[in-house]
Every structure is written in structure tokens, then in C-alpha cells.
Amino acid sequence: MAVLFLTGCASSQYRFDYQEQEFDAVWPKAPDTPRMRYLGVISGEDNFKKIEGSEGFFRKGISWAGSLLFGAETPRLLDRPQSGVVDEQGEKLFVTDIGKKSVYVFDLKNGSLDVWDSVNDETEFVAPIAVCLIDQNRIFVSDSDLGYVTKLDASGKSLLRIGEGKLARPTGLACDKVNKHVYVADSQAHKIHVFSEQGQWLFEFGKKGSDIGEFNSPTYLAFANKKLYVSDTLNARIQVFDENGKWLSQFGKRGMFVGNLPRPKGVAIDSDEHIYVVESYYDHLIVFDHEGKGLLPIGGSGKAPGQFNLPAGVWIDKNDVVYVADMFNGRIMVFQYIKALP
């Protein structure tokens, strides 16, 4: 069952805004040409600001009386965000939160927040990890403890369970919107499963190992330009496959230097085919070119803008806005990729 928590009495009274926008930061620093700009933070209901003059005198009186009788409501905030996705229209942001055992749905257009805490009336989420969209009405959520992927509609209603009995510990997801395929990383079985959007199992690839095409606890996935990017976490690398699971390339290695990938997690691709990888061990977001050459690191441990505490997923919307799930800081860090001039 999907549980709805509104940010106010009427969603039209609120607008979505990033927090901490007044802090101006770019990477790399001058005199180099900036390629990433800090936009702010997403933490939950605190991102919804009341539109001035939207609440009438009578409604204000009711709100004031209610706060006296029952106390001010505690805002619903992210706890341990894992991953997310923005729809094609740029209107809704979906974030999985393993701490709250829920999926947060930010309506960026209408200024409201839904929190889905259940697969259906009988089953609650336990460990939601990843989310991907075939379109705005077909949403897929992996739950590593439940052991399957749930297909939901736009209201959070469960439509289908995928991989139940076949998946050991599903984590990362990626949707191929052209072929309508759903890729699932099975971290415990060390392989990638591929399903149709109707839940039919199609094929799998990979096994435990360190050779090319093998995995050691694969976690997050990304699909772009007919390529599947797999964060092969305990092998300290990113592997790249075609849409049919054929191995194409890999990059990354263990090490103590910025640019190494001792514990890669989230992976995402921008419109210029740069590859963004969350390096969770040393709390960095690292940008690579399409061949895996390191271009730009952002991060370090901390709470300041551009710093992280065990980051998890990363995803990018159609406008090249980059979102990083800063898990132990309980927030989403947001950046803008600045495209080079032609």
C-alpha cells in the first residue's frame, strides 16, 4: 500500500527549491574552466517552500490553532538515501531510502512529496535499493531483502513482482526504454539478470570471478547509448557491456590515489558520454571520459558542499543535472554539468 504524506494542505501552495543555493562552488577551480557547479541539497520536506500569499487568513488560523493543540509537525526527511531517477518530463524525482524503508517521490512541478513505504497492503519495503523508469507510469524498485523487483504505477500501486524466487539479492537497476528491458544486478549471485517489462526472464550473464565479464558483488547499473555500465564493486572496476550482455570494456583499479576505484558504487552517464562514478571508500564522485580516463574528482569526507559521507548512487536527468545520494549525510547533493562551448 502506498502511503501519502503531503507537504501541506494543498500542493499548489508550495514550490520545490534546492537548499543551500547561496553557496557558490564550481569544479575545477580557477584558472581552469569550470565543468561542474554546485546547485544545492535535497533532504525532504524542507525543500518545499510555501508560496507567499498562497494561504488565506482562515486557513492560517486553522494552521495556527492546530500547531497549538498538537504541536508542529516533524518534517519528513531522507535518512539513508540509496539511489534515484528523474522522469523524462523533469517533473518527478524518485529516491530510494533504505533507512526509512521507503521510496520518496518529489513532485517538482506541483510542490508535493509522497512517501511509498509498501509494495502493497500486505508487504512493506524492507531494503529498497534502486529505481528505474520505463516511462512515468511504469516504475521499478529493487528490494534486496525481499529478493525481487516491484513494478509500480504512477501512484505507487503494485502491478507486478519480478524475479521472485530467481533473484538472490537484487540491488542495481537499469531500464532500456527502447527495448523495454530491465537489467538487475544480483549482488549475491554475482550476475546480471535481464527481464522484460512484463516480468519475463530473458537472459543472464556473468559469474563470480575477476576475469573480464565476471563479477564480485556487482551493485549499481546505468544504461545509456545501448551500453550497460556495471559497478563491479568488489573487483574495484566498472565494466561495460552491450545491450545483449557482450563485454566491451572496463576501467578502474584498487589504490590509494584519487581516481582509483577501491569501492565503486553508483554510475551514471551525461549527454556527452562522460561517466560519473561514486567512489564510496574515499567519499568521492569521479568523472571519467567515455574511455575511462579520469577527468575530474569532487569530494572528500565531510558535510560541506561537495563533500560526502559514504555516498551511494548517482543519476543524471535530461538537463545534465547530477544527483548524488550522500547516504550517511542523509541528503542528495545536486550539481550541474557545464557543457563545453562548441
Side-chain angles (χ1 to χ4, degrees):
M1 178 180 178
V3 177
L4 173 66
F5 298 113
L6 291 178
T7 57
C9 296
S11 61
S12 60
Q13 295 177 4
Y14 294 83
R15 60 178 176 82
F16 175 86
D17 203 355
Y18 299 123
Q19 296 173 274
E20 302 183 6
Q21 280 184 298
E22 68 278 2
F23 188 94
D24 187 27
V26 296
W27 293 265
K29 305 295 184 183
D32 294 324
T33 302
R35 286 289 174 256
M36 294 283 285
R37 179 177 298 278
Y38 174 75
L39 295 183
V41 166
I42 299 173
S43 63
E45 283 188 333
D46 286 351
N47 288 97
F48 295 92
K49 311 300 182 185
K50 186 176 288 293
I51 299 172
E52 188 174 352
S54 64
E55 189 174 32
F57 177 80
F58 180 70
R59 188 175 295 275
K60 285 182 180 179
I62 293 176
S63 300
W64 176 79
S67 65
L68 288 178
L69 289 171
F70 305 109
E73 290 187 7
T74 302
R76 294 170 176 90
L77 303 176
L78 295 169
D79 182 38
R80 294 289 184 265
Q82 294 293 300
S83 189
V85 66
V86 179
D87 68 9
E88 287 292 332
Q89 293 71 32
E91 296 178 355
K92 287 190 176 183
L93 164 64
F94 301 81
V95 178
T96 57
D97 191 310
I98 197 170
K100 293 294 181 67
K101 302 180 180 181
S102 300
V103 178
Y104 281 58
V105 184
F106 295 81
D107 191 324
L108 309 179
K109 179 181 178 181
N110 296 312
S112 64
L113 174 64
D114 292 359
V115 180
W116 301 344
D117 65 355
S118 303
V119 175
N120 53 37
D121 290 341
E122 292 78 33
T123 306
E124 295 182 342
F125 285 116
V126 180
I129 302 296
V131 56
C132 74
L133 309 178
I134 290 290
D135 57 38
Q136 64 185 25
N137 296 310
R138 288 170 288 181
I139 301 145
F140 299 84
V141 179
S142 63
D143 192 303
S144 59
D145 282 4
L146 290 178
Y148 55 79
V149 175
T150 302
K151 180 181 179 181
L152 307 168
D153 67 13
S155 67
K157 178 183 177 182
S158 178
L159 302 174
L160 184 68
R161 294 183 181 183
I162 296 174
E164 190 171 16
K166 190 171 188 66
L167 297 170
R169 190 170 182 82
T171 51
L173 292 179
C175 286
D176 175 355
K177 298 180 181 180
V178 175
N179 294 312
K180 310 299 183 185
H181 291 169
V182 181
Y183 297 84
V184 184
D186 192 330
S187 296
Q188 186 172 315
H190 312 286
K191 63 180 63 175
I192 308 299
H193 291 269
V194 186
F195 297 86
S196 72
E197 68 155 318
Q198 290 82 22
Q200 179 187 5
W201 181 85
L202 300 175
F203 62 94
E204 64 183 50
F205 58 95
K207 63 179 183 179
K208 187 172 184 178
S210 57
D211 289 340
I212 61 172
E214 297 178 343
F215 304 110
N216 190 356
S217 295
T219 54
Y220 293 88
L221 306 177
F223 188 87
N225 307 309
K226 298 183 179 182
K227 296 177 183 178
L228 179 72
Y229 298 79
V230 180
S231 189
D232 189 8
T233 300
L234 294 187
N235 277 329
R237 64 187 178 183
I238 302 296
Q239 295 199 70
V240 187
F241 301 83
D242 72 9
E243 57 195 333
N244 298 311
K246 178 183 177 182
W247 184 89
L248 299 175
S249 64
Q250 68 180 36
F251 64 92
K253 63 180 181 179
R254 293 181 177 85
M256 298 176 61
F257 298 101
V258 174
N260 295 147
L261 297 177
R263 286 293 186 274
K265 293 287 184 69
V267 58
I269 318 300
D270 70 19
S271 63
D272 286 336
E273 293 193 63
H274 298 120
I275 306 167
Y276 296 68
V277 181
V278 168
E279 201 302 288
S280 63
Y281 195 83
Y282 291 115
D283 297 320
H284 271 80
L285 173 67
I286 304 174
V287 186
F288 298 85
D289 69 10
H290 68 282
E291 295 180 340
K293 177 183 177 181
L295 299 176
L296 176 66
I298 298 174
S301 302
K303 294 184 178 181
Q307 294 181 336
F308 307 103
N309 187 356
L310 200 63
V314 58
W315 61 101
I316 301 175
D317 70 15
K318 64 176 184 177
N319 297 314
D320 282 327
V321 176
V322 181
Y323 304 79
V324 181
D326 188 12
M327 183 171 62
F328 275 16
N329 280 328
R331 64 188 182 181
I332 307 298
M333 192 86 70
V334 189
F335 306 88
Q336 175 68 63
Y337 164 55
I338 305 170
K339 294 176 70 73
L341 295 175

